[in-house]
Amino acid sequence: MGVLRKIRDTGRVAEPVPPRPEDEPPPTARQFGGSVQVRCVDAGSCNGCEIEIAAAFGPVYDAERYGARLVASPRHADVALVTGPVTRNMAGPLRRSVRLSMFLSESLIGSSRMKVNTLVSAR
């Protein structure tokens, strides 16, 4: 019973919620219409980045209140978030995934699409 009493007496321990931004959204945020769909791709990382991403979208920091949302399919994504160094085995699937998400996204303008394709094909 000592453990349960300790839990009851301690209560919830968490960091305070960060303040809501009061500034105007950046111009890039306006391009996405106030929300962005993020597709996370693990390209060979040590899972440290995935833990940070999960924490950012968790209940404490809640990135969804700022308009960012994680999606499971590249067809629904506006942005590809790639973690880790790209391995040889992951290079091809990553290129296809990014091209598919950028091709299907109607909210991106041509210059952004060119930057992404340049970054993907640079390897």
Side-chain angles (χ1 to χ4, degrees), residues 32-47:
F32 290 108
S35 68
V36 63
Q37 312 300 315
V38 181
R39 165 74 171 131
C40 293
V41 180
D42 181 0
S45 72
C46 67
N47 289 337

Side-chain angles (χ1 to χ4, degrees), residues 42-107:
D42 181 0
S45 72
C46 67
N47 289 337
C49 297
E50 283 75 17
I51 293 170
E52 294 290 329
I53 293 167
F57 284 90
V60 174
Y61 296 106
D62 193 20
E64 287 193 18
R65 69 183 163 153
Y66 298 111
R69 201 180 95 180
L70 292 176
V71 293
S73 172
R75 293 175 186 255
H76 301 137
D78 296 323
V79 174
L81 177 60
V82 181
T83 61
V86 179
T87 61
R88 288 186 184 134
N89 292 338
M90 195 59 192
L94 177 62
R95 282 191 186 105
R96 283 193 303 269
S97 176
V98 169
R99 283 189 188 132
L100 179 64
S101 67
M102 296 304 129
F103 177 74
L104 294 174
S105 175
E106 296 176 0
S107 61

